[in-house]
């Protein structure tokens, strides 16, 4: 995922999150109603979940930098392996 650099970056991230949540919901519904093994759908769902976690992490970074009086543009997309290791 590329990070937007314009003034509407936070809104762009939120819009992307909204689209991915809708995709996630559609995939879960497809899997629930499917008689197939859903291997491709499960792989896509896993990738989508990881990308969503990265987007939320990026948004949190931007907000934290902004609250600290720093440039939110300094936030970077972190690897999925890093983000997935966080606990809520």
């Amino acid at each position: 995922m590329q990070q937007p650099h314009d003034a509407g970056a936070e809104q762009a991230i939120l819009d992307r999150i909204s689209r991915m949540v809708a995709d996630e919901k559609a995939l879960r519904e497809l899997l629930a109603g499917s008689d197939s093994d859903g291997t491709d759908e499960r792989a896509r769902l896993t990738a989508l979940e990881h990308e969503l976690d990265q987007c939320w992490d990026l948004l949190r970074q931007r907000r934290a930098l902004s609250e600290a009086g720093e440039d939110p543009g300094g936030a970077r997309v972190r690897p999925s392996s890093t983000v997935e290791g966080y606990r809520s």
Side-chain angles (χ1 to χ4, degrees):
M1 180 186 101
Q2 285 190 329
Q3 178 183 349
H5 295 287
D6 57 72
E10 187 167 316
Q11 187 59 50
I13 295 167
L14 287 167
D15 290 345
R16 177 132 178 96
I17 288 170
S18 292
R19 288 190 305 273
M20 287 190 294
V21 167
D23 290 347
E24 180 184 32
K25 181 180 178 191
L27 276 170
R28 288 188 188 283
E29 288 173 357
L30 180 66
L31 284 167
S34 176
D35 291 333
S36 72
D37 70 354
T39 303
D40 292 337
E41 290 82 4
R42 287 183 206 291
R44 175 67 187 128
L45 184 58
T46 298
L48 190 57
E49 289 169 342
H50 289 208
E51 191 175 347
L52 262 168
D53 289 343
Q54 287 176 299
C55 285
W56 282 116
D57 176 65
L58 178 61
L59 191 59
R60 283 190 294 272
Q61 284 182 63
R62 291 182 59 83
R63 289 177 175 173
L65 285 168
S66 182
E67 287 175 13
E70 296 183 32
D71 178 13
R76 296 289 174 250
V77 176
R78 293 188 254 212
S80 179
S81 58
T82 300
V83 175
E84 292 301 310
Y86 296 152
R87 291 202 160 149
S88 300

